[in-house]
Amino acid sequence: MKKTLSVVLTSAMAFSMFSAVAFGKTSADFTDLKDLDAATQTKFDAMISAGIFDGVSDTTFGLKEEMNRAQFAKVAALIMGLDVNKDLTTSSFTDVSVTDAANGYALPYIEALKTANVTDGYAEGQYNPAGKVTKEQLATFLVRVLGKDAEAKASTGTDATVSGWAQGYVAEALALKVLSNNADGTFGGITNATRDLLVTGAYEAKQQYVPAGQVSLTEAKATGIQQVTVTFNKPVDTTKATVALTKGTTNVATTAKFADDKKSVVLTLTDVKVSEGEYTATLSGLDAASVAKATATFTAENEKVSKLSFVNVSDVVPQVKDFVIQLKAENQYGENATLNGGNYSVFGYTGSITRNADNGYLELKVDTSDTSRYPTEIGVLPITVSLNQSAVSVSKTFKIGTEQRVSKVELGTATYENGKTALSSEGDKVTYDITRYDQYGYKVVADAAASIMPVITPTDMNILDKKVEDNKVVVTVATGKKVDKTSDYTVTYYEGGASATATVSLKAGAVPTKLEFGTYNGVVADGDTSAKYIPIVAYDTEGNALSTQDIVDNAGSINFTVSGATVATGTDVTSNGIVKYGENKGKLKLSSIQAKERGVVYLYMSIYNANVQTQAQLPLTVVAARTPESVLLSGDEPTTKALVNATTTFKVLVKDQYGETLDTVPTGYEVNVNVEGTTAGVTVDSAAQATGDNFKTDLKGKLNDKEITFTAASLGKTTVKVALTKGGQEVAPALKRTVEVVENSDLVYKAKAVSDVFAITTNELAKTGDFANGSVSKFAKTLGVTVTDKSGNTVAVPSDLKAVKTAYTTDSNIATVTTDGKVLGQRVGTATVTAVVYKANGETEDFTYTVNVKADAPTVATLTADASATYSSTKDVAQMLNVKAVDNYGTEYKYTDGGVNEVKAYQDFLGVQYIISDVQGGGTVVYNPSTDKITISGTVNEFVVKTIASNGKTTSTVVSN
């Protein structure tokens, strides 16, 4: 016995029978299909309307009846679109006969399957028409229809309810989701398939079916006055396919939307309507070999009105001035016709038709307020509207009712301003359209009275203003009010005996509902007169931390009690001491400490009102007065060996006993800088200082973190000593750094590796101007050497004693070099560069460098700027913010000490731009990209500059004025 129907697919197979052929019946005609869900009902309707399935009776579909092989043959032949000769009366199978009362109808379908080599029967010479079709046989059929036979044969399964030969087919059917397992997780392959499984399984297969062969346009037709639908015989690649529309030789502008199944596209005309003439749709973008027919033509007609109808909700018209009677004019596509009102005539009333562009309806304005002409409840208004020069018309006699009175009201959807979804700050507004209906169901003509006051519940505590304006309910956060509680309110509009409600959402904005003191990492010392900045942390009602600007904005609601210290005053702080601008914005500023050693500075802050009750406290223990305790190196160690005329530098910081930098020397202490040794030439902060100069008071700006530069004058050792003294005695270990000036012999020179360089010939812009000038271009890399003694110690060497004398390259097409030793990439590749370098002993030495040239355009790898800055009208923005960009080749761009704005000069590559925001003070701030400067008009206290590179790297700076 053969295990299943033998299914052999050919390119002729298609699911065209799924098209909406009108066979009359739908799932609604069968009692056992009435409880189907909407998705399943759609599948059944498609199969029934296509004539593939019939009911077992006029009212019963036979949902759970088992399908025999005769029924299966009919479904298979119709699904595959086989040529069925219904006049056949003899069969090639001995058990198939036209006289078989139960299965004889299937004879032509069985023969069609055999002719198409889809089946060769069940046994030798037999088809077994009454035999049942199992679920695994159904799975096999559907998998092969989808061309997945090879995948099924390569698949395996372990379902004990499935025959061995069918395991792969069942696994593939499940993967394709054309069939599913039973509730217990098994497939039940040897059980008989019911009619519902064949319906849904075949439908799902149809959705995935892709006919073999080339793509063809099967039809193009106008489906709207500005719409053309084009269909294909199979799905197309919508990422490549484009469809153009022409009328004669004229291109018609359209937008395209492909269907989800990719078998059709809707072209919407953007500039004109479909008009009389011949149109052609042309497919392009696909491989020519995959397209059989790339065009489809159709003949269109001008728009015409096919039907007129009244759309008023009632046959009774109220007594009112300017009442609107509406009509719908349908065109040949079932749309609202676009012909204007002048194409229509009115009979029975003196008036003209207009077309409402918003809803597409025709409108006739009438006045029924004259009771002598239109008596209350007994008068009539006969109206006839006709399309000029046509037989299309509509007539209706309306009864005259009473005056309009409001019997129903509706509030529309909440419309918040500026993209908000709730009211959160002063001036925020939400509106609701008011729609009012009269006793006949019509919209009331008269506007809602401004005297009506909407009601908000629960009580809004005067936070919200409300009114009726322009047929809208308007709710606004009142002037001077803050939303400090997130909640939903109900706004109710009353008119007559009708009412309508809507929800007003309030969201506590940047309003503090919880306060904390942040961590203060500094020390409060006896006698401190330098400012202390105490962090404040505030949270809104949803637990989100407020910004420093939010804290400043709400400073008036925060109360402070401070003992043991003085709260700062001045223009830079609020009335209660919160810093308004700069890097310490949002912090409490203490100007001096009054409490003595072992005392306490006590800070207390709070907010208490109807909605917020919060407080925080911070005690700070006062420690002993500050004294200098140590001098520490700041930054890198200086080079300890140098040649004559070379320079080396280092920086120091004076620290107190608490490890903090000490900017003022207490009375009785001194900080001394001395030079010891045989060689003179130490300078502090680039200003010549006499040996033994001391700093008795102010260290800030003179010594702390300023370069101490040593210039070697002759052989020997020189020591710079920074010491702390009191009463002439050193009170802590001094910081000493020694530099030895050595002979210029026995030095070791090594070439520094050259990092990758940019191939400027890959970029047209880079070929021109200074970008291609190797002597000044930032794209050029300097050939360098390191100098050490025999022990490996770095030796500072005057720049002229390690300079490149000359340089040359093995391939100038890849890289060029300048005479002063800079290499510039030209084309992608690797070149070898040789440089001749002067040595300290008067000799020269050759050094070899490998240069890799890449085509990757320079982009910003890192972007930095100062977190805070002070405004200057004379400085470039890059200089004012200290902007530094490092590209993907490791090259840094900045505003140089020599006054060169490298960030602006290389703008075309880096794409650095500046955005101004958060301007405080009421004035305006404008950035001029041509000058790279910022100008201020009016009063501006602070603003934020966001620096953005073209690749998305960003950094922000708070600028105070």
mmCIF file of all heavy atoms in Angstrom, residues 674-693:
data_model
loop_
_atom_site.group_PDB
_atom_site.id
_atom_site.type_symbol
_atom_site.label_atom_id
_atom_site.label_comp_id
_atom_site.label_asym_id
_atom_site.label_seq_id
_atom_site.Cartn_x
_atom_site.Cartn_y
_atom_site.Cartn_z
ATOM 1 N N ASN A 674 64.286 77.564 46.113
ATOM 2 C CA ASN A 674 65.713 77.840 46.024
ATOM 3 C C ASN A 674 66.357 76.982 44.946
ATOM 4 O O ASN A 674 65.909 75.860 44.682
ATOM 5 C CB ASN A 674 66.403 77.550 47.360
ATOM 6 C CG ASN A 674 65.945 78.503 48.447
ATOM 7 O OD1 ASN A 674 66.359 79.645 48.489
ATOM 8 N ND2 ASN A 674 65.064 78.004 49.320
ATOM 9 N N VAL A 675 67.382 77.523 44.328
ATOM 10 C CA VAL A 675 68.159 76.801 43.335
ATOM 11 C C VAL A 675 69.531 76.525 43.928
ATOM 12 O O VAL A 675 70.218 77.442 44.373
ATOM 13 C CB VAL A 675 68.301 77.618 42.038
ATOM 14 C CG1 VAL A 675 69.149 76.860 41.021
ATOM 15 C CG2 VAL A 675 66.940 77.949 41.478
ATOM 16 N N GLU A 676 69.909 75.262 43.923
ATOM 17 C CA GLU A 676 71.198 74.864 44.481
ATOM 18 C C GLU A 676 72.016 74.195 43.390
ATOM 19 O O GLU A 676 71.494 73.426 42.588
ATOM 20 C CB GLU A 676 70.984 73.871 45.638
ATOM 21 C CG GLU A 676 70.094 74.408 46.763
ATOM 22 C CD GLU A 676 69.766 73.330 47.780
ATOM 23 O OE1 GLU A 676 70.016 72.140 47.486
ATOM 24 O OE2 GLU A 676 69.237 73.664 48.859
ATOM 25 N N GLY A 677 73.298 74.496 43.342
ATOM 26 C CA GLY A 677 74.144 73.834 42.374
ATOM 27 C C GLY A 677 74.971 74.826 41.587
ATOM 28 O O GLY A 677 75.033 76.013 41.898
ATOM 29 N N THR A 678 75.591 74.298 40.508
ATOM 30 C CA THR A 678 76.569 75.090 39.779
ATOM 31 C C THR A 678 75.969 75.840 38.601
ATOM 32 O O THR A 678 76.644 76.675 38.015
ATOM 33 C CB THR A 678 77.667 74.151 39.238
ATOM 34 O OG1 THR A 678 77.055 73.187 38.381
ATOM 35 C CG2 THR A 678 78.359 73.447 40.378
ATOM 36 N N THR A 679 74.758 75.528 38.216
ATOM 37 C CA THR A 679 74.206 76.105 36.991
ATOM 38 C C THR A 679 72.995 76.960 37.328
ATOM 39 O O THR A 679 72.062 76.505 37.982
ATOM 40 C CB THR A 679 73.783 75.012 36.003
ATOM 41 O OG1 THR A 679 74.897 74.167 35.767
ATOM 42 C CG2 THR A 679 73.318 75.628 34.686
ATOM 43 N N ALA A 680 72.988 78.176 36.894
ATOM 44 C CA ALA A 680 71.836 79.051 37.104
ATOM 45 C C ALA A 680 70.842 78.858 35.964
ATOM 46 O O ALA A 680 71.153 78.270 34.936
ATOM 47 C CB ALA A 680 72.292 80.510 37.171
ATOM 48 N N GLY A 681 69.624 79.423 36.147
ATOM 49 C CA GLY A 681 68.673 79.384 35.033
ATOM 50 C C GLY A 681 67.352 78.773 35.363
ATOM 51 O O GLY A 681 66.724 78.153 34.510
ATOM 52 N N VAL A 682 66.846 78.915 36.595
ATOM 53 C CA VAL A 682 65.536 78.400 36.937
ATOM 54 C C VAL A 682 64.522 79.541 36.863
ATOM 55 O O VAL A 682 64.763 80.617 37.375
ATOM 56 C CB VAL A 682 65.523 77.798 38.356
ATOM 57 C CG1 VAL A 682 64.101 77.448 38.772
ATOM 58 C CG2 VAL A 682 66.402 76.576 38.384
ATOM 59 N N THR A 683 63.414 79.312 36.204
ATOM 60 C CA THR A 683 62.339 80.303 36.162
ATOM 61 C C THR A 683 61.068 79.673 36.709
ATOM 62 O O THR A 683 60.859 78.467 36.580
ATOM 63 C CB THR A 683 62.078 80.802 34.735
ATOM 64 O OG1 THR A 683 61.740 79.679 33.922
ATOM 65 C CG2 THR A 683 63.296 81.500 34.158
ATOM 66 N N VAL A 684 60.240 80.488 37.342
ATOM 67 C CA VAL A 684 58.961 80.030 37.884
ATOM 68 C C VAL A 684 57.849 80.721 37.111
ATOM 69 O O VAL A 684 57.833 81.950 37.025
ATOM 70 C CB VAL A 684 58.851 80.349 39.385
ATOM 71 C CG1 VAL A 684 57.486 79.931 39.915
ATOM 72 C CG2 VAL A 684 59.969 79.668 40.148
ATOM 73 N N ASP A 685 56.948 79.916 36.552
ATOM 74 C CA ASP A 685 55.818 80.445 35.787
ATOM 75 C C ASP A 685 56.283 81.355 34.664
ATOM 76 O O ASP A 685 55.687 82.403 34.398
ATOM 77 C CB ASP A 685 54.848 81.179 36.702
ATOM 78 C CG ASP A 685 53.503 81.423 36.031
ATOM 79 O OD1 ASP A 685 53.186 80.709 35.055
ATOM 80 O OD2 ASP A 685 52.786 82.335 36.457
ATOM 81 N N SER A 686 57.389 81.003 34.020
ATOM 82 C CA SER A 686 57.947 81.702 32.877
ATOM 83 C C SER A 686 58.402 83.123 33.211
ATOM 84 O O SER A 686 58.692 83.900 32.305
ATOM 85 C CB SER A 686 56.950 81.742 31.706
ATOM 86 O OG SER A 686 56.599 80.442 31.325
ATOM 87 N N ALA A 687 58.426 83.503 34.455
ATOM 88 C CA ALA A 687 58.921 84.833 34.845
ATOM 89 C C ALA A 687 60.199 84.641 35.659
ATOM 90 O O ALA A 687 60.257 83.829 36.566
ATOM 91 C CB ALA A 687 57.883 85.566 35.682
ATOM 92 N N ALA A 688 61.243 85.386 35.319
ATOM 93 C CA ALA A 688 62.542 85.223 35.995
ATOM 94 C C ALA A 688 62.393 85.508 37.487
ATOM 95 O O ALA A 688 61.810 86.511 37.887
ATOM 96 C CB ALA A 688 63.570 86.165 35.388
ATOM 97 N N GLN A 689 62.866 84.571 38.280
ATOM 98 C CA GLN A 689 62.767 84.720 39.732
ATOM 99 C C GLN A 689 64.182 84.690 40.321
ATOM 100 O O GLN A 689 65.033 83.911 39.889
ATOM 101 C CB GLN A 689 61.942 83.571 40.334
ATOM 102 C CG GLN A 689 60.538 83.453 39.783
ATOM 103 C CD GLN A 689 59.655 84.609 40.241
ATOM 104 O OE1 GLN A 689 59.770 85.081 41.376
ATOM 105 N NE2 GLN A 689 58.812 85.073 39.348
ATOM 106 N N ALA A 690 64.370 85.507 41.283
ATOM 107 C CA ALA A 690 65.681 85.523 41.934
ATOM 108 C C ALA A 690 65.851 84.285 42.795
ATOM 109 O O ALA A 690 64.894 83.748 43.336
ATOM 110 C CB ALA A 690 65.819 86.770 42.810
ATOM 111 N N THR A 691 67.059 83.813 42.886
ATOM 112 C CA THR A 691 67.340 82.656 43.722
ATOM 113 C C THR A 691 66.917 82.947 45.165
ATOM 114 O O THR A 691 67.195 84.009 45.703
ATOM 115 C CB THR A 691 68.844 82.333 43.684
ATOM 116 O OG1 THR A 691 69.205 82.051 42.354
ATOM 117 C CG2 THR A 691 69.178 81.139 44.582
ATOM 118 N N GLY A 692 66.222 81.984 45.750
ATOM 119 C CA GLY A 692 65.776 82.167 47.121
ATOM 120 C C GLY A 692 64.465 82.899 47.243
ATOM 121 O O GLY A 692 64.047 83.236 48.350
ATOM 122 N N ASP A 693 63.800 83.185 46.115
ATOM 123 C CA ASP A 693 62.494 83.862 46.189
ATOM 124 C C ASP A 693 61.554 83.031 47.050
ATOM 125 O O ASP A 693 61.557 81.816 46.995
ATOM 126 C CB ASP A 693 61.925 84.012 44.781
ATOM 127 C CG ASP A 693 60.737 84.958 44.762
ATOM 128 O OD1 ASP A 693 60.477 85.606 45.780
ATOM 129 O OD2 ASP A 693 60.070 85.036 43.708
#
